[in-house]
Amino acid sequence: MHLDQVFEKCMDVATAMLPFTDGCDIQLVHENIMDETGVLPDSYSPMGYTEEIGDNKYCVIISRDLKPSMFPEIILHELVHVSQFSTGRLSYDEISDTVSWDGKVFPHKSTSYHELPWEQHAHSTEAALLVEYHKK
């Protein structure tokens, strides 16, 4: 299945199971996440990440290094983050370099990835989404 078809199927599953604000605009970018020296930019996953690029506009970036079999899992995980951002559960403040999750503020780089509550939520939700994805 082509990446565009995987993304469309992931969107169908995510919009049926997750809350998104009306008019939420999501685009997918498939690119090299590493910089020219082979280093990941600060705080980015080697597989994918989500950026808020405007008012209710989001960009899901997935790595060119991913095997196609990983596309659904990573895209669905990132769509959970889009839902978190669009509903206000998750926000990032560039000026203070902090992340807010359900009203609690965290220094951006103070906690290990697997201990971050929004990542824990994304991983557990992604698992249920993935089951639905494979049923279609």
Side-chain angles (χ1 to χ4, degrees):
M1 189 179 300
H2 190 271
L3 179 58
D4 290 338
Q5 294 169 307
V6 173
F7 182 63
E8 186 175 323
K9 188 174 173 182
C10 287
M11 286 295 298
D12 288 345
V13 170
T15 55
M17 296 180 66
L18 297 173
F20 292 93
T21 53
D22 288 341
C24 187
D25 181 17
I26 306 165
Q27 54 186 276
L28 178 70
V29 174
H30 188 216
E31 68 182 20
N32 185 2
I33 293 177
M34 306 278 189
D35 70 15
E36 59 279 349
T37 64
V39 175
L40 282 172
D42 266 354
S43 77
Y44 291 135
S45 161
M47 295 182 275
Y49 60 96
T50 296
E51 286 186 342
E52 188 170 13
I53 57 173
D55 188 32
N56 211 22
K57 292 184 178 191
Y58 304 89
C59 186
V60 169
I61 297 98
I62 63 168
S63 174
R64 285 205 182 276
D65 296 328
L66 280 179
K67 294 179 183 175
S69 62
M70 292 291 295
F71 289 165
E73 179 182 342
I74 302 306
I75 292 169
L76 289 168
H77 178 94
E78 295 307 323
L79 289 174
V80 174
H81 288 314
V82 172
S83 173
Q84 293 168 340
F85 278 117
S86 77
T87 59
R89 291 190 75 189
L90 181 64
S91 64
Y92 173 66
D93 184 330
E94 256 183 74
I95 295 169
S96 64
D97 197 27
T98 57
V99 178
S100 294
W101 170 251
D102 283 344
K104 186 175 179 186
V105 177
F106 296 81
H108 187 223
K109 299 171 188 155
S110 69
T111 309
S112 77
Y113 174 86
H114 293 289
E115 293 177 14
L116 298 169
W118 56 92
E119 292 296 347
Q120 292 173 348
H121 174 261
H123 281 286
S124 64
T125 305
E126 154 205 323
L129 293 170
L130 204 50
V131 167
E132 289 303 311
Y133 177 91
H134 289 297
K135 284 182 183 178
K136 291 190 175 255

